[in-house]
Amino acid sequence: MDITSKSEFAADPETVFSMLTNPDYLEQVCVASHALEHEVSVNGSRTRTSRTLAAPESAARFTGPRLTIVEETDWREATGNGRVGSVQLTVSGQPVSMTGEVQLSGGGPGSILVLTGELTVAVPLLGKKLEKSAAPAVLLGFETQEQVGRSWLEG
């Protein structure tokens, strides 16, 4: 299932990139997402977060009470007025993944971050239905990043 999310930030792309690769910002995103446990790592322009969340009630009988979501972003070198990165999201022990791309560029109030990706739930016969039910949770995660980012930049 195709996933698209757009975030706007009131800062130039390099400032937003610096925020997106800052471990303190990533920690705040994990806390804001109500993670029961989390880990954050940054290695140059590569970020990784692991968040353990309470499973949604509708999924808990299939997944157990907790889900661990691992998100990795690998940013490429800046080109012009922005950057592009690849994103990989997995749910540990579950047949759920998303691969995609983030594009950070100048625009809007300063910068626009666009995520495009493909969400896959590899379950025969039910996969497409499960993708539709999982998509809002994935998008909520990116909305949380935007909300934390706006507060971060207001500073």
Side-chain angles (χ1 to χ4, degrees):
M1 171 177 202
D2 291 335
I3 295 282
T4 302
S5 178
K6 178 180 170 185
S7 302
E8 295 187 359
F9 300 101
D12 64 273
E14 272 310 300
T15 300
V16 173
F17 172 74
S18 181
M19 173 189 73
L20 295 170
T21 56
N22 185 307
D24 293 332
Y25 162 77
L26 296 170
E27 287 275 341
Q28 287 185 20
V29 170
C30 291
V31 169
S33 65
H34 308 290
L36 304 170
E37 300 170 11
H38 67 274
E39 293 178 18
V40 169
S41 65
V42 176
N43 183 5
S45 60
R46 183 179 182 89
T47 64
R48 182 182 188 277
T49 61
S50 174
R51 294 175 272 184
T52 300
L53 308 168
E57 207 172 293
S58 61
R61 66 182 178 149
F62 303 108
T63 65
R66 295 177 167 203
L67 294 172
T68 299
I69 299 167
V70 177
E71 181 182 332
E72 296 177 293
T73 304
D74 191 10
W75 291 94
R76 296 189 277 285
E77 289 295 317
T79 56
N81 189 26
R83 289 183 183 259
V84 174
S86 57
V87 176
Q88 176 72 38
L89 185 139
T90 57
V91 181
S92 298
Q94 302 297 321
V96 179
S97 65
M98 187 197 76
T99 56
E101 183 175 271
V102 284
Q103 184 168 13
L104 175 63
S105 60
S111 294
I112 297 173
L113 180 67
V114 176
L115 163 79
T116 54
E118 181 69 26
L119 176 65
T120 304
V121 178
V123 175
L125 302 175
L126 295 175
K128 295 297 180 192
K129 183 177 181 180
L130 295 173
E131 288 169 5
K132 287 181 183 178
S133 64
V138 172
L139 292 172
L140 180 61
F142 288 100
E143 289 172 20
T144 300
Q145 290 179 2
E146 179 180 23
Q147 291 168 355
V148 171
R150 287 181 176 187
S151 294
W152 177 276
L153 292 168
E154 289 172 1

